[in-house]
């Protein structure tokens, strides 16, 4: 929510989201008499835990989280994307009928006699609404913000009800599959820069799934969306369970059994494309989609990311707005059970839904393609790796100013001023006469890499001592005038290593 929201209409009490029955809500107690108020205070126990599906982040965890956000921002900006932002909540009509069966997970805000609103479920639909509102038809953008879903949470696996998404999208009319190939390259670069471990980006095309597989199996067109939602569960449920669900939704056993061998096909992009091109029934309904896949894998080869891609015909993506290429990023060494780390696809008709039909009755197409990174899932993976390798928590302080042999309060403050002016993160102990052991303890606890050591002799000679604190290296004496340049060089070398 906006920090400026302080009036009664936007108070916490007026933004209570409808939630599952097991979620507890804290409400202000009704005014009572003084005596009964004292009695209530003694008997009431205020729960201080975060709401179900949310969590607090301490300094070490938040530093890791910000490292993830900063890394993603650098990758997005490196590809020429510009940032945008949209409100945390939207008119409920904007979010309706966009998410298929997952629409039940949207948090609806209580009706306070004004506009009917809901917390945003993702960043893609708000982006499409923004394009329609502003008349934007051509942009390469990124957006980072929180979204909310009434999902069944699993904190350790990074599945929460409140979480960050980082989106990268390209809107505009371009030659086929060129933006899609860059999006796949950006996903791979994000995973590499975050050092997430071994991963694979599973790719499919909605045209192949719907007009190829479903049509060939005889699935009625009116069931395409709901059967697609069932197929999307194959990574979480066994085939028999998914098959039973599809039968309950209205397809026949023959249709389901005809689908099964197709949904088991996966492998190197060019190999699977070649297999599809040999299937006359698939090509009759999905020729253009198969050609799209063939093209995007050729471009991905030129971009050097083909080794990270796998064409998987069971990939469905349950959201209603996808119209073309779809993809999900899966961790291969997935010991903590996180889901997709980054997913997305092409959605050429979503902006047009907000613009309304043309005079001919057609929905205008504004081509868009992009993906979302699940920050909390990335966080869970990297936090698990940190715990296993006993890596120190990343701190923000780069330099600690130490006094030795004398208080040197003014001298320490002057050095701090120089460091801050040079954009070097620094601090010292808030004591006039600090003892040496507590200063070293503070450095060790915060894992601060460098210390600037001041003593009476150094001050008199216009010098300082620099010491790398993460190993048993010796001290280096430098002129005070060279302190900043020397530290910058050492910090840059440390960053590169």
């Amino acid at each position: 929510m906006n920090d400026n929201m302080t009036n009664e209409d936007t108070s916490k009490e007026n933004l209570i989201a409808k939630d599952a029955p097991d979620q507890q809500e804290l409400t202000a107690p009704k005014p009572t008499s003084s005596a009964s108020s004292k009695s209530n205070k003694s008997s009431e126990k205020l729960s201080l835990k975060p709401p179900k599906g949310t969590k607090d982040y301490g300094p070490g965890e938040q530093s890791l989280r910000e490292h993830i956000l900063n890394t993603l921002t650098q990758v997005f900006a490196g590809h020429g994307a510009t940032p945008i932002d949209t409100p945390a909540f939207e008119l409920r009509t904007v979010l309706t009928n966009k998410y298929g069966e997952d629409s039940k997970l949207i948090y609806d805000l209580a009706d306070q006699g004004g506009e009917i609103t809901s917390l945003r479920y993702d960043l893609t639909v708000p982006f499409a609404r923004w394009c329609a509102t502003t008349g934007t038809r051509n942009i390469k953008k990124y957006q980072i913000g929180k979204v909310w879903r009434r999902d069944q949470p699993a904190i350790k696996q990074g599945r929460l009800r409140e979480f960050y998404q980082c989106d990268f999208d390209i809107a505009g009319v371009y030659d086929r599959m060129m933006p899609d190939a860059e999006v796949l390259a950006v996903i791979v670069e994000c995973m590499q820069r975050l050092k997430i471990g071994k991963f694979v980006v599973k790719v499919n095309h909605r045209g192949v799934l719907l007009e190829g597989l479903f049509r060939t199996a005889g699935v009625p067109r009116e069931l395409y969306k709901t059967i697609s939602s069932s197929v999307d569960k194959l990574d979480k449920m066994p085939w028999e369970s998914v098959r039973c669900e599809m039968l309950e939704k209205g397809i026949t056993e023959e249709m389901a059994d005809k689908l099964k061998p197709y949904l088991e096909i996966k492998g190197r992009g060019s190999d699977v494309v070649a297999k599809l091109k040999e299937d006359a029934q698939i090509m009759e309904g999905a020729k253009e989609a198969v050609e799209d896949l063939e093209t995007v894998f050729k471009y991905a080869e030129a971009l050097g990311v083909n080794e990270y891609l796998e064409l998987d015909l069971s990939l469905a993506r349950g959201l209603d707005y996808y119209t073309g290429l779809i993809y999900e990023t899966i961790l291969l060494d997935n010991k903590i059970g996180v889901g997709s780390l980054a997913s997305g696809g092409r959605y050429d008709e979503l902006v047009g839904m907000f613009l309304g039909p043309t005079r001919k009755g057609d929905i205008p197409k504004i081509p868009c393609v992009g993906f979302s990174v699940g920050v909390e899932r990335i966080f869970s993976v990297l936090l698990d790796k940190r715990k296993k390798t006993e890596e120190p928590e990343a701190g923000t302080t780069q330099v600690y100013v130490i006094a030795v042999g004398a208080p040197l309060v003014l001298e320490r403050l002057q050095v701090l001023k120089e460091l801050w002016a040079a954009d070097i993160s620094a601090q010292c102990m808030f004591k006039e006469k600090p003892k040496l052991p507590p200063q070293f303890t503070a450095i060790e606890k915060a894992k601060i890499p460098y210390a600037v050591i001041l003593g009476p002799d150094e001050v008199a000679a216009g010098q300082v001592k620099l010491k790398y604190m993460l190993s048993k290296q010796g001290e280096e004496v430098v002129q005070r005038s060279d302190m900043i340049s020397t530290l910058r060089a050492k910090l840059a070398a440390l960053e590169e290593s």
Side-chain angles (χ1 to χ4, degrees):
M1 305 293 176
N2 192 307
D3 289 339
N4 295 325
M5 293 182 179
T6 54
N7 56 56
E8 291 182 358
D9 288 339
T10 52
S11 65
K12 277 188 176 180
E13 289 78 9
N14 290 336
L15 292 177
I16 300 174
K18 298 175 184 176
D19 199 357
D22 60 345
Q23 194 169 9
Q24 297 179 352
E25 295 177 353
L26 295 175
T27 56
K30 295 180 180 179
T32 58
S33 66
S34 177
S36 62
S37 176
K38 289 180 180 179
S39 175
N40 287 339
K41 285 181 181 179
S42 61
S43 61
E44 288 179 358
K45 289 185 178 180
L46 180 65
S47 175
L48 299 180
K49 73 176 186 65
K52 182 178 180 180
T54 66
K55 74 183 297 291
D56 297 319
Y57 294 84
E61 290 184 330
Q62 186 59 20
S63 293
L64 177 58
R65 216 164 168 226
E66 290 185 359
H67 162 71
I68 296 169
L69 297 176
N70 291 337
T71 300
L72 294 172
T73 300
Q74 290 171 7
V75 173
F76 298 158
H79 284 260
T82 55
I84 72 162
D85 196 16
T86 57
F89 53 95
E90 297 274 351
L91 295 177
R92 192 171 300 168
T93 51
V94 168
L95 305 181
T96 303
N97 299 324
K98 307 298 189 305
Y99 303 107
E101 294 181 1
D102 284 347
S103 293
K104 64 181 180 291
L105 303 180
I106 294 174
Y107 271 103
D108 293 329
L109 300 180
D111 181 4
Q112 298 294 318
E115 296 176 322
I116 307 301
T117 59
S118 300
L119 292 176
R120 61 189 179 196
Y121 176 91
D122 67 3
L123 301 179
T124 305
V125 170
F127 167 59
R129 194 266 310 153
W130 178 84
C131 286
T133 302
T134 61
T136 300
R137 300 293 180 269
N138 187 299
I139 189 173
K140 182 187 284 187
K141 68 85 184 173
Y142 70 89
Q143 182 178 358
I144 297 175
K146 286 186 175 181
V147 299
W148 293 265
R149 298 180 186 179
R150 292 177 56 202
D151 204 352
Q152 187 61 32
I155 302 294
K156 290 183 179 179
Q157 286 75 40
R159 190 167 69 244
L160 290 88
R161 291 181 168 183
E162 176 190 64
F163 56 96
Y164 269 105
Q165 277 193 343
C166 298
D167 279 24
F168 176 93
D169 295 90
I170 301 173
V173 178
Y174 302 100
D175 287 350
R176 295 184 72 83
M177 295 295 106
M178 291 191 73
D180 306 68
E182 181 176 3
V183 167
L184 291 173
V186 175
I187 293 175
V188 171
E189 186 177 342
C190 287
M191 298 301 109
Q192 290 175 328
R193 292 277 295 275
L194 288 167
K195 299 179 181 178
I196 200 70
K198 292 184 178 181
F199 64 92
V200 63
V201 183
K202 292 181 174 290
V203 181
N204 200 5
H205 196 294
R206 292 281 278 194
V208 170
L209 181 71
L210 304 181
E211 300 303 330
L213 276 58
F214 286 8
R215 180 177 174 275
T216 299
V219 176
R221 186 169 293 275
E222 63 271 18
L223 294 180
Y224 277 8
K225 286 185 178 180
T226 186
I227 298 303
S228 179
S229 295
S230 296
V231 171
D232 190 47
K233 299 174 183 176
L234 278 171
D235 62 336
K236 308 177 188 71
M237 297 165 53
W239 164 252
E240 286 304 320
S241 298
V242 172
R243 183 178 184 274
C244 288
E245 182 177 300
M246 291 193 294
L247 295 180
E248 290 173 359
K249 289 180 175 180
I251 72 170
T252 66
E253 292 186 358
E254 182 182 358
M255 294 174 190
D257 294 340
K258 197 168 184 179
L259 266 179
K260 186 176 185 289
Y262 282 115
L263 296 175
E264 292 174 343
I265 297 174
K266 60 182 176 180
R268 192 167 178 266
S270 58
D271 295 339
V272 176
V273 167
K275 191 169 186 176
L276 291 174
K277 292 175 75 173
E278 293 173 357
D279 191 314
Q281 286 185 294
I282 294 291
M283 292 303 289
E284 182 181 347
K287 182 175 183 294
E288 188 175 285
V290 173
E291 290 174 347
D292 280 348
L293 286 171
E294 186 175 30
T295 301
V296 81
F297 280 108
K298 286 181 180 178
Y299 291 159
E301 180 70 32
L303 291 169
V305 298
N306 241 356
E307 63 180 291
Y308 301 98
L309 309 182
E310 178 184 76
L311 181 46
D312 185 342
L313 298 190
S314 70
L315 180 65
R317 302 289 296 141
L319 303 183
D320 287 350
Y321 51 68
Y322 288 120
T323 59
L325 205 71
I326 51 177
Y327 29 81
E328 286 188 350
T329 307
I330 305 299
L331 187 66
L332 294 178
D333 186 18
N334 191 359
K335 294 181 179 179
I336 62 173
V338 296
S340 174
L341 302 176
S343 56
R346 177 162 285 280
Y347 50 103
D348 289 348
E349 298 175 359
L350 187 55
V351 178
M353 289 183 186
F354 296 119
L355 293 173
T358 63
R359 291 181 180 179
K360 295 181 179 180
D362 300 326
I363 291 182
K365 288 191 176 183
I366 310 297
C368 298
V369 62
F371 73 95
S372 296
V373 177
V375 173
E376 265 62 45
R377 292 181 178 183
I378 299 282
F379 169 83
S380 295
V381 173
L382 295 183
L383 185 65
D384 184 64
K385 289 179 67 177
R386 172 188 285 179
K387 289 177 178 177
K388 287 179 178 177
T389 58
E390 297 184 354
E391 294 178 7
E393 293 182 351
T396 59
T397 304
Q398 298 168 300
V399 177
Y400 199 92
V401 181
I402 294 176
V404 178
L408 300 174
V409 176
L410 298 181
E411 290 79 3
R412 280 186 285 147
L413 295 178
Q414 289 166 357
V415 169
L416 281 176
K417 179 184 176 182
E418 291 180 37
L419 294 169
W420 294 336
D423 289 327
I424 296 174
S425 175
Q427 59 176 308
C428 73
M429 183 162 285
F430 290 151
K431 282 186 173 294
E432 290 186 0
K433 300 178 180 180
K435 294 181 179 179
L436 197 55
Q439 294 180 88
F440 280 108
T441 299
I443 292 172
E444 183 179 359
K445 185 176 180 180
K447 303 295 187 293
I448 300 171
Y450 282 96
V452 171
I453 302 173
L454 292 175
D457 293 341
E458 287 77 23
V459 171
Q463 298 173 331
V464 297
K465 288 181 179 178
L466 304 181
K467 182 175 175 59
Y468 181 61
M469 303 302 295
L470 302 183
S471 69
K472 296 181 179 180
Q473 295 181 5
E475 300 169 349
E476 177 183 354
V477 178
V478 300
Q479 292 299 123
R480 176 72 172 272
S481 58
D482 296 330
M483 177 184 69
I484 297 298
S485 60
T486 304
L487 277 171
R488 278 178 171 163
K490 290 181 178 295
L491 291 169
L494 184 62
E495 182 71 21
E496 289 178 2
S497 64

